[in-house]
Amino acid sequence: MSESANPTFRVEGPTRLQGTVKISGAKNSALKLMAVTLLAPGKSTIHNVPDIADVHIMGELLTSLGCAVTFDGATVTVDVPEAPSVRAEYALVRKLRASINVLGPLVTRMGRAEVAMPGGDAIGSRGLDFHIAGLRDLGAAAHAEHGYVIAEAPDGLIGAAIELKFPSVGATENLMTAAVLAKGQTVIDNAAREPDIVDLGNFLIAMGAKIEGLGSHTISIEGVASLSPAAHTTLPDRIVAGTWAFAAAMTRGEITIEGGVAEHLEIPLDKLVAAGAVVTTVHNGFKVRMDRRPTAVDVSTLPYPGFPTDLQPMVICLNAIADGHALVTENVFEGRFMFVSELQRLGADIKVDGHHASITGLEVLSGAEVVATDIRAGAGLVLAGLVSDGVTLVEEGHHIDRGYPNFAENLCALGARVTRL
Ligand code: UD1
């Protein structure tokens, strides 16, 4: 990331997007794959890693734990020492929520972990109670102290039955990675089913773990004594692919999303079809075309395979310019409507009541200065800028850089007038 660390995205609208965009590896997979290399001493290699700031922060975190991390294009090699440090400091953890994914690997392999609590962010509070309760089920003494989660299991973890109160992605990942080196069998019920979980599980299996039920509500893990380093290719980013799909529909354009996996986006693509888009499968991806003003669509976010909360800003933006009235309900993160007040600066007609947003579509929005509050809100605001009259300035663009490699360049290649200031 050589460009400005905190750019403003300048968007000149309205625009119609047309062309092909290539999807890179998934942020939310790559970060976790990197974290779990800690489970085995030696060199593990992760391919198809996106060139985004978060990946480099995870690299710094692993370096701070004693690993040697090398980047070569889209490939990251992590050389893990026999005895990595077990303390992940707040200075790095605060920059990256996924840092919490070092908790499971460290406690199960080293018998102790001290990981700073990442804290909340602009999408609402993000608890760690399921992570802590699950580690306790596995026999660890785990508690929060002075802003750190401290987990101890000097004699190793012991397999257990764990029932998650909510299919949390992060808790499923941490507990699955902790259980792979526990003694005996662990069963995680009400597990998250996201493709990221399947990807992570497949990497763990390549390292020698015994896991069944990936992608279902119940994941069974038979602990093994040790794991070996392995190589893995990150799956394509379904949220980035979904963002381009919404961009095509909003701008009445046509985008071929190369490397996008339509099966990972079944419900969002169904919603786009309901809004009037034509979605077709093409060789190595899919294509979204929209020939008319979108029709308003109601959406409720839910854990996978439901409509992803990470695409909620995009569907709100689509509805802001759609024909009709829509209700968008957020069921995963309580504070995820914070960006709505920014969208209102572009003239959008939206009323928020608790976890419901009620949207009446307008023909066109009007360009203004807005602030990106998180990764997905930032991308959504850029899309809104594409369908606004005049210039939209999206400030705090570092959020966008955290999730979308070469966002401005990709937009320009599709015909948008976007610059990074
Ligand atoms: C991950 C993704 C994020 C995505 C989210 C849901 C990463 C880095 N981030 O976040 O982009 O939006 O999944 O698909 O992969 N919860 C608790 N206690 C816990 C854990 C979670 O109450 O111990 C709550 C959270 O506050 C939230 C809900 O459960 O309301 C879902 O969170 P979770 O699935 O854990 O999201 P993350 O893994 O943080």
Side-chain angles (χ1 to χ4, degrees), residues 122-123 309 311-317 330 335-345 350 352 357 370-374 376-378 380-381 384:
I123 61 173
T309 175
L311 289 177
Q312 178 252 91
M314 304 6 161
V315 79
I316 290 198
C317 290
E330 173 57 55
R336 208 152 198 182
F337 286 142
M338 256 176 226
F339 82 102
V340 164
S341 50
E342 299 302 310
L343 201 52
Q344 285 164 336
R345 292 180 51 73
I350 306 174
V352 172
V370 292
V371 175
T373 48
D374 71 82
R376 311 302 168 189
L381 288 167

Side-chain angles (χ1 to χ4, degrees), residues 4 101 156 203 229 383:
S4 158
N101 281 69
F203 180 46
L383 301 197

Side-chain angles (χ1 to χ4, degrees), residues 28 32 125-131 168-170 309-310 332-333:
N28 287 351
K32 324 306 177 57
S125 85
R126 298 172 83 170
L128 292 175
D129 45 332
F130 307 158
H131 301 242
S168 151
V169 173
T309 175
D310 285 350
V332 181
F333 286 110

Side-chain angles (χ1 to χ4, degrees), residues 322-400:
D323 185 10
H325 178 84
L327 189 68
V328 173
T329 304
E330 173 57 55
N331 294 310
V332 181
F333 286 110
E334 78 218 16
R336 208 152 198 182
F337 286 142
M338 256 176 226
F339 82 102
V340 164
S341 50
E342 299 302 310
L343 201 52
Q344 285 164 336
R345 292 180 51 73
L346 301 178
D349 182 354
I350 306 174
K351 285 175 194 65
V352 172
D353 180 9
H355 67 135
H356 302 292
S358 161
I359 309 135
T360 304
L362 305 173
E363 287 275 353
V364 73
L365 301 174
S366 101
E369 273 176 62
V370 292
V371 175
T373 48
D374 71 82
I375 305 177
R376 311 302 168 189
L381 288 167
V382 170
L383 301 197
L386 296 174
V387 291
S388 297
D389 259 338
V391 173
T392 296
L393 296 174
V394 183
E395 291 168 16
E396 299 294 328
H398 66 102
H399 286 299
I400 299 173

